[in-house]
Structure formats: C-alpha cells, structure tokens
Amino acid sequence: ESVARLCRVATIRHVARWYGLDWKTVKDLDRASLERELGPVNLDGIEVIGMDEFAIQKGHRYATVIVEPMRKRVLWVGRGRSREDVRPFFTLLGPARCAQLKAAVMDMNAGYELEVKAHCSQAEIVFDLFHVIAKYGREVIDRVRVDQANALRTDRRARQVVKGARWLLLKNRDSLKPGEDVELDELLAANHALFVVYVLRDALKALWHYRHSGDAATAWKSWYRKALRSGIAPLRHFAKKLRPYLPGILAHCRYPLGTNLIEGINNKIKVIKRMAYGFRDDAYFFLKIRAAFPGVG
C-alpha cells in the first residue's frame, strides 16, 4: 500500500530506489493495487461519450481514450484508432447500453463515426470545434500563407513577412502578445487572400455558438457561399470537404460538447507516460489513466 501511494506522485524508478526494490516489482505492486481499487468499469446509464486519440509512442503509434464528459470519467482506453481498435468498447457496452447512447463527440475520424453508427445507430455524432478549426488552419490558412509567400518572390522583404507569420495567423486574437494585434492587422490589410481566410475562420468558429440548428444552418449556408465565391482554391476545397460533415456540426446545437475535456486528459496522459516507464504494458498504463480520471458526482 505504501509503494502504491508513492507511485501516485513519483516515477516507478524513484519509488524503486526509495524502497530498494526492482522497478518491475514496484510496477507489479502498483498494478495490483490499481486493479483492486478500480475494479471493472461501470458502464450503466451512459448517454454521452467523447472519443479522441493520443500518441502512445514515437512513430505515429496511437491509442484511443473514451470518456463520459459530464462526469469527467475515463471509461476505456485501447491501442489504435481504427474501427477495429475501438470495437471492443462497444462490445463491452453491449446492445442494451448501446441503445441508450444519445450522442458521441469526436473529431472527423471516419473510423470512430462508422463504429458508433454500427452499434448505436440512434446516437448523434457531434463534431468538435477544436479539430475542425485546427484542420482549417493547416489546410487553408497555412496553405494560403505559403502560396502568397511564393507569389512574392520578387519582393524579398514582403515575402519574409508573410512567410514568418504562421503562428500569428493561427493564434486566436485573445492569445496575441502586446503589439501582435497591430502586426496582424497590418498583414491582413496588405494581403486580401489572408484577410479572407482569416475572417472566414472566425465565421466558421461562430457556428459552434448557435443553440438553434435552424440558425446554425442559415449561418453555414452564408459561410459556404462566401467560401466558394472567394476564388481561393484551398478554401473552396476545404468547404466542399467539410459539407458532408454538416449534420455533426449542427448536432452541437443540441449537444454543446467538445473534446476540450479530452485534450486536457491527453495532456495529463503525457505526464503519466513520463512517470510510468512501464507504459509498454498497456493494461498497466491504461489503469494509471483510469485512476487519474475516476469521475466526479
């Protein structure tokens, strides 16, 4: 019990040194304590889930974490992010509890969406603002910035300004440092294409603030028309790709959820990964994650 308590706040290696034990012995003691403390996950009465991926190892190896957003509780963690990888969760949930699920919030991961629909056809898919806007930043703002910089080859000074403005354009205005707002305004005033994609990013964000799907649908139509009429190829392409996901965006009006909670969990997971050392033992690593987020209420 003493070893397990210390493992909550210290690395396995430090606990092993403190007690003069082999680190594998410390890990086994901690794992046994967690299994006894946590027991099986109670999946009764779950109506909403959040799904997201996190990096588990270098080399683009990922795992999926599924949480109950209202209670801030980790329900399940599994290696991978494909349909097959998350299927064990829905098998564990079972048909009766799957039928009670009302909504699932996620990024635009086709595997997650298809698996939820296969097991919980009545559940609404809710697409997360953070991931959509991050995708817009990469595929639209960044692409347009590079294109505009390339178009300024004969004006070396102007090219360097545009080329070096990546983080300035991707930041929210309320995150700008003193003086950066002036720098941003000058850049947008001098470059029409960057101005258009920057303004339409904020208009796209606004869709997640509506609480009536009819109003949100009207706002989407306006945004979509402006994107297509802009003549900016990356923006037009993004708008067309985003259109099939509209039902999941409008579903946010009924279920104002986001994966921001899961992003916070992912940050804590990084800390757990650094402390655990034995994270290649999936069962142990996932127990550590569950213990960190047992839920509230």
Side-chain angles (χ1 to χ4, degrees):
E1 289 176 0
S2 183
V3 166
R5 281 198 301 270
L6 194 54
C7 282
R8 302 294 189 271
V9 295
T11 66
I12 293 175
R13 185 169 297 173
H14 284 113
V15 175
R17 286 176 181 171
W18 178 259
Y19 285 100
L21 296 171
D22 184 88
W23 77 272
K24 291 181 181 178
T25 302
V26 171
K27 188 194 82 170
D28 289 343
L29 288 170
D30 189 31
R31 176 173 171 167
S33 174
L34 290 169
E35 287 173 341
R36 185 173 63 250
E37 176 188 330
L38 296 174
V41 180
N42 182 3
L43 297 176
D44 293 334
I46 294 171
E47 296 185 341
V48 178
I49 60 171
M51 309 173 69
D52 200 12
E53 64 192 41
F54 64 91
I56 192 171
Q57 287 170 311
K58 292 181 180 178
H60 300 289
R61 293 190 177 96
Y62 292 91
T64 294
V65 59
I66 299 179
V67 307
E68 188 179 9
M70 306 304 184
R71 294 184 58 192
K72 300 181 181 178
R73 180 168 66 111
V74 169
L75 302 173
W76 184 86
V77 189
R79 189 177 281 262
R81 54 180 176 177
S82 68
R83 284 191 67 175
E84 294 76 16
D85 293 326
V86 300
R87 191 165 298 155
F89 169 76
F90 294 99
T91 301
L92 189 64
L93 201 59
R97 287 182 294 211
C98 279
Q100 296 174 357
L101 196 68
K102 293 181 178 179
V105 58
M106 62 185 71
D107 62 8
M108 292 185 290
N109 181 320
Y112 291 170
E113 181 182 2
L114 290 171
E115 201 60 19
V116 169
K117 287 181 177 178
H119 295 275
C120 317
S121 57
Q122 78 292 339
E124 290 203 61
I125 305 298
V126 183
F127 291 121
D128 172 53
L129 165 67
F130 174 84
H131 289 90
V132 175
I133 298 303
K135 195 174 180 69
Y136 184 93
R138 292 191 303 272
E139 298 182 8
V140 180
I141 292 180
D142 232 16
R143 183 67 259 168
V144 171
R145 178 186 60 82
V146 171
D147 291 344
Q148 293 299 303
N150 290 338
L152 292 167
R153 284 193 183 93
T154 57
D155 189 338
R156 187 174 178 181
R157 186 175 179 182
R159 184 173 186 268
Q160 285 302 115
V161 170
V162 173
K163 191 176 179 181
R166 184 185 185 206
W167 298 115
L168 188 65
L169 290 164
L170 294 179
K171 280 183 179 180
N172 293 321
R173 275 199 175 267
D174 55 8
S175 300
L176 295 176
K177 296 176 182 177
E180 285 185 337
D181 54 339
V182 176
E183 186 180 347
L184 175 63
D185 289 339
E186 290 177 350
L187 174 66
L188 297 179
N191 193 295
H192 179 70
L194 289 176
F195 172 79
V196 170
V197 297
Y198 187 88
V199 168
L200 285 187
R201 182 191 67 172
D202 287 345
L204 182 61
K205 281 183 184 179
L207 291 178
W208 275 264
H209 296 300
Y210 287 96
R211 290 296 170 265
H212 188 278
S213 57
D215 294 337
T218 300
W220 159 261
K221 290 175 184 176
S222 174
W223 184 90
Y224 188 71
R225 283 196 301 269
K226 290 173 183 175
L228 294 186
R229 291 174 181 173
S230 69
I232 300 171
L235 176 56
R236 288 167 56 88
H237 181 65
F238 181 87
K240 290 176 181 178
K241 282 205 314 181
L242 187 61
R243 190 176 184 180
Y245 294 96
L246 180 60
I249 295 173
L250 298 183
H252 191 270
C253 296
R254 292 179 292 279
Y255 296 96
L257 304 165
T259 59
N260 52 329
L261 165 66
I262 307 180
E263 292 301 319
I265 289 175
N266 285 351
N267 290 333
K268 183 68 176 289
I269 286 173
K270 293 176 185 176
V271 176
I272 295 171
K273 189 163 64 175
R274 286 196 296 269
M275 291 178 65
Y277 286 99
F279 71 88
R280 286 181 179 83
D281 179 343
D282 285 354
Y284 173 61
F285 182 38
F286 299 160
L287 280 169
K288 296 288 282 186
I289 295 170
R290 277 187 58 205
F293 298 95
V296 295

